[in-house]
Amino acid sequence: MSILVVDNLSKQYSKNVQALKQLSFSLEQGESLGIVGESGSGKSTLAKILIGLETYQDGGITFQGSPIAPKKRALLRAYRKNVQMIFQDAASALNPKLPIWKSLLEPLKNYKEFTPSFIDVEELSDKDIARELLGLVGLDRSLADRYPGELSGGQKQRVSIARAISLEPSLLICDEPTASLDVTVQVQILTLLKKLQQQLNITILFISHDIRAVTFLCERIIVLKEGSMVDQFELGKLYEHERNPYTKALLDAASLD
Ligand SMILES: Nc1ncnc2c1ncn2[C@@H]1O[C@H](COP(=O)(O)OP(=O)(O)OP(=O)(O)O)[C@@H](O)[C@H]1O
C-alpha cells in the first residue's frame, strides 16, 4: 500500500493564482521521491498542504490509508507525529534561548506516549538522549550544551533533522533543506538524509528547486511547472530522450552553474 496518495490536488490562492493544478502522485514506504521546480511552481504550497498549514479546494490526500484531514483530534495528532518536516531555515525550528539538548527533546516531550526504537529512553537521562540524537546525525555530543546562535548553518540543519527523526516518522518532508547552505555542506546534509533513510527506513519527500540535489538523493522525481506535473521518472531515466523539454532545460541550467 502507498504511504501517501495525493489525488487531483488543486489549490487556488485567488482568482488569478492557481498554485497547484490537479496534482496526483503516490509515495511508497521507504521510497525517496523528489519534487523539483522553479520558483513559483507550487512546491512550498504542496509542503504546507501536506503538513496541514494550508488548505486546498479540490482533490484529496490519503496517508497510510486514511484522509489526512481527519476530524478526530487524536488521529490528527498521530498524523503530526508520523509526518515530520524539515525546512530551509533550520534556525526557525530552534528556540534561540534554549540549549540544543532542550530543543532536541521537545518533540519527544510532546509525544510522551512514544518511545523511539533506536534510543533507550528508559535508561538514559534527558541530556543523554539528546546526546544520542546528536550522534545519530553526525554531530559531536558536546554540542548539547550550546545555543543555536553558536552553531553553523549545517550544524543547525543537522539538529533539526535529529529533532524530526526522534519521533521515528513514517514520512519526512524536506522543503529546500539545503538551499541556504554552502555546496560542500549541502552534500553532507544530503548524504546524511540518504544514510538515515536507509538506516531507519524513512520515506522521504524531498522538495527543491535544485535538480542536482534532487537527483543526488531521490530514486524517483516529479517535475512541477506552474502547479502542474510535467514529468515523472525513475532516476535511471534522467537522461533518456523522452524527458520533457522542461526537465532538460532544468538539467542544462544546472550544468551551467
Ligand atoms: N499565501 C499566498 N497568497 C497568494 N499567493 C500565494 C501565496 N503563497 C504562494 N502564492 C503563489 O502561489 C504560487 C506558488 O507559490 P509557492 O510558494 O508554492 O512556489 P514555490 O515553488 O515554493 O516557489 P519558491 O521556490 O520561490 O518558494 C506563486 O505564484 C505564488 O506567488
Side-chain angles (χ1 to χ4, degrees):
M1 185 178 72
S2 300
I3 186 168
L4 179 76
V5 179
V6 170
D7 182 28
N8 259 313
L9 190 69
S10 292
K11 166 74 187 175
Q12 188 142 16
Y13 282 109
S14 63
K15 207 169 139 208
N16 298 323
V17 183
Q18 177 137 23
L20 294 174
K21 298 170 191 158
Q22 298 185 315
L23 182 65
S24 297
F25 65 90
S26 59
L27 191 50
E28 303 306 311
Q29 173 68 46
E31 189 185 22
S32 54
L33 174 68
I35 299 204
V36 66
E38 290 179 304
S39 184
S41 56
K43 306 182 299 292
S44 297
T45 300
L46 174 64
K48 282 188 209 148
I49 288 175
L50 288 176
I51 56 163
L53 286 178
E54 194 58 83
T55 56
Y56 54 94
Q57 283 86 17
D58 288 312
I61 299 165
T62 309
F63 179 72
Q64 292 177 329
S66 308
I68 74 150
K71 293 199 174 85
K72 288 186 184 163
R73 283 181 73 100
L75 283 177
L76 194 57
R77 185 171 158 81
Y79 176 77
R80 290 216 177 108
K81 181 207 148 286
N82 271 322
V83 181
Q84 290 291 308
M85 181 138 175
I86 301 169
F87 300 90
Q88 174 174 347
D89 180 12
S92 65
L94 304 173
N95 182 338
K97 294 191 178 135
L98 284 186
I100 294 300
W101 73 269
K102 285 198 175 168
S103 281
L104 270 172
L105 289 181
E106 278 175 342
L108 283 173
K109 295 273 175 205
N110 280 338
Y111 290 89
K112 285 205 178 76
E113 69 279 13
F114 170 75
T115 321
S117 64
F118 49 86
I119 300 173
D120 195 351
V121 290
E122 307 289 320
E123 296 294 318
L124 296 172
S125 70
D126 281 357
K127 216 182 221 184
D128 280 332
I129 294 169
R131 291 191 180 112
E132 289 290 310
L133 285 168
L134 288 171
L136 199 67
V137 295
L139 286 174
D140 196 290
R141 286 153 197 255
S142 65
L143 295 187
D145 288 313
R146 292 219 200 146
Y147 287 80
E150 300 170 322
L151 264 55
S152 70
Q155 286 171 329
K156 278 189 276 230
Q157 195 54 287
R158 281 179 194 261
V159 170
S160 71
I161 293 171
R163 265 172 62 104
I165 60 165
S166 69
L167 292 173
E168 247 177 302
S170 315
L171 174 61
L172 186 62
I173 301 176
C174 308
D175 187 12
E176 301 273 14
T178 55
S180 320
L181 304 172
D182 290 348
V183 175
T184 48
V185 184
Q186 287 182 19
V187 175
Q188 289 164 9
I189 296 292
L190 292 170
T191 306
L192 171 68
L193 287 170
K194 213 173 203 173
K195 187 194 97 175
L196 292 171
Q197 187 213 357
Q198 284 156 7
Q199 193 177 338
L200 306 175
N201 192 30
I202 301 174
T203 310
I204 292 186
L205 182 65
F206 185 85
I207 297 172
S208 175
H209 70 283
D210 181 355
I211 197 159
R212 285 169 301 187
V214 169
T215 51
F216 185 90
L217 180 69
C218 303
E219 301 147 1
R220 194 158 61 87
I221 293 141
I222 284 173
V223 182
L224 267 193
K225 185 184 178 206
E226 293 165 12
S228 297
M229 185 195 297
V230 294
D231 206 357
Q232 175 174 208
F233 52 94
E234 303 287 326
L235 179 61
K237 301 207 164 153
L238 178 62
Y239 292 104
E240 299 210 344
H241 71 276
E242 77 259 29
R243 288 285 59 75
N244 185 284
Y246 184 70
T247 311
K248 289 181 184 166
L250 288 179
L251 280 170
D252 288 346
S255 69
L256 292 177
D257 279 356

